[in-house]
Amino acid sequence: MIGQQIASSIERRSGVSLWRQIADQILHSIAVGDFAENAALPPEVALAERYGVNRHTVRSAIAALVQDGVLRAEQGRGTFVLSRKRLSYPIGARTRFSEGLQGQASERRSVLLESAVEPASRRVAEGLGLAKGSSVIRLETRGEADGQPVSRATGWFDAGRFAGIDAAMAETGSVTASFQRFGIGDYLRQSTVLSARHADAADLADLDLQPGAIVLVTVAVNVTPDGQPIQFSESRFSAERVELRLSVND
């Protein structure tokens, strides 16, 4: 019965490849404790029967999870679940990348990938309290923990108020430190909208993910303590590496 229920959850006309669906099923099984850390996975034949697919599909799913560092394959012994806990990233009144991962990763940094000055879209303008088409600075950054990419973010800032924030970000690797150069010693998270989707091509490349991987998405507005919007951002987190934790007491 369990095998039939699992097989029926595989959608053959969903547009998502079968091997990706199998990989996601294995990830879910690991997350809920069906496959314990350091335990051996069932043989490919058993997994193929469990998920209602052929061995080649199972093999492709396992290969992707091995590449992602979720599984370990040992020739002649089998495939094992690696002991690796997802990072827990807090979302609260003072959300900061480096501080949020403190105690979970010894090295934390944000890398500036690209910057540009552009007219604000309607969404960005509303978030920053500007007129549509106003000049804004867009920063593309990647968050890394112990050398592994865990997040990809796009942030927008009022170009008139924050001219040079791209250079500050490139030098400091920190939005908080960059804001300090503009006299902003503290800021608050006004709002955060959470969602999830499949990673697009840019996220796959920048986060080193396999096609079909899921990213957790946060769309947020940061404001000064007196309520002035200073940053509108969209961040994508690898769901295989990070869980988002909402904090109500921040």
Side-chain angles (χ1 to χ4, degrees):
M1 178 63 71
I2 294 177
Q4 292 175 349
Q5 290 175 341
I6 292 175
S8 67
S9 69
I10 303 300
E11 298 291 339
R12 298 180 182 275
R13 297 182 180 85
S14 68
V16 180
S17 59
L18 290 178
W19 72 262
R20 184 68 249 182
Q21 293 185 61
I22 301 303
D24 289 341
Q25 291 278 0
I26 293 174
L27 284 170
H28 176 73
S29 295
I30 294 172
V32 301
D34 289 346
F35 299 143
E37 292 181 351
N38 298 313
L41 285 187
E44 289 181 0
V45 173
L47 288 174
E49 181 178 353
R50 175 176 183 173
Y51 295 116
V53 297
N54 60 45
R55 290 181 63 183
H56 177 74
T57 301
V58 169
R59 193 172 296 125
S60 297
I62 289 175
L65 294 178
V66 168
Q67 183 171 336
D68 286 342
V70 177
L71 302 176
R72 179 184 76 253
E74 296 185 11
Q75 190 170 4
R77 294 194 63 219
T79 304
F80 299 84
V81 178
L82 284 177
S83 177
R84 189 187 68 171
K85 186 177 181 180
R86 285 191 299 175
L87 298 170
S88 182
Y89 186 75
I91 303 293
R94 286 180 171 81
T95 299
R96 311 285 192 266
F97 177 78
S98 183
E99 293 179 15
L101 297 181
Q102 190 171 7
Q104 302 179 71
S106 58
E107 180 183 344
R108 309 170 303 279
R109 67 170 187 163
S110 293
V111 180
L112 179 64
L113 303 176
E114 178 187 342
S115 65
V117 177
E118 62 188 27
S121 67
R122 182 182 302 278
R123 182 179 73 147
V124 171
E126 290 177 351
L128 292 176
L130 303 173
K132 180 183 177 182
S134 297
S135 183
V136 293
I137 298 173
R138 173 174 53 82
L139 302 184
E140 303 285 351
T141 59
R142 181 177 60 228
E144 300 177 357
D146 291 334
Q148 182 178 58
V150 295
S151 68
R152 176 75 164 79
T154 306
W156 291 268
F157 309 81
D158 180 357
R161 182 174 183 180
F162 295 106
I165 195 170
D166 49 346
M169 184 66 193
E171 181 179 344
T172 66
S174 166
V175 171
T176 300
S178 297
F179 275 147
Q180 290 173 351
R181 297 193 175 186
F182 293 87
I184 299 174
D186 190 20
Y187 59 97
L188 305 173
R189 177 64 58 90
Q190 182 185 66
S191 64
T192 304
V193 177
L194 305 178
S195 62
R197 60 168 171 78
H198 286 97
D200 61 22
D203 293 333
L204 293 176
D206 292 329
L207 294 176
D208 192 22
L209 300 174
Q210 294 296 308
I214 300 296
V215 290
L216 307 176
V217 183
T218 66
V219 176
V221 176
N222 285 327
V223 299
T224 59
D226 61 358
Q228 299 178 36
I230 54 175
Q231 180 186 12
F232 180 80
S233 65
E234 179 186 290
S235 302
R236 286 84 70 196
F237 298 83
S238 165
E240 298 175 3
R241 302 168 190 158
V242 179
E243 64 179 16
L244 302 180
R245 174 168 49 87
L246 299 182
S247 173
V248 295
N249 296 318
D250 195 341

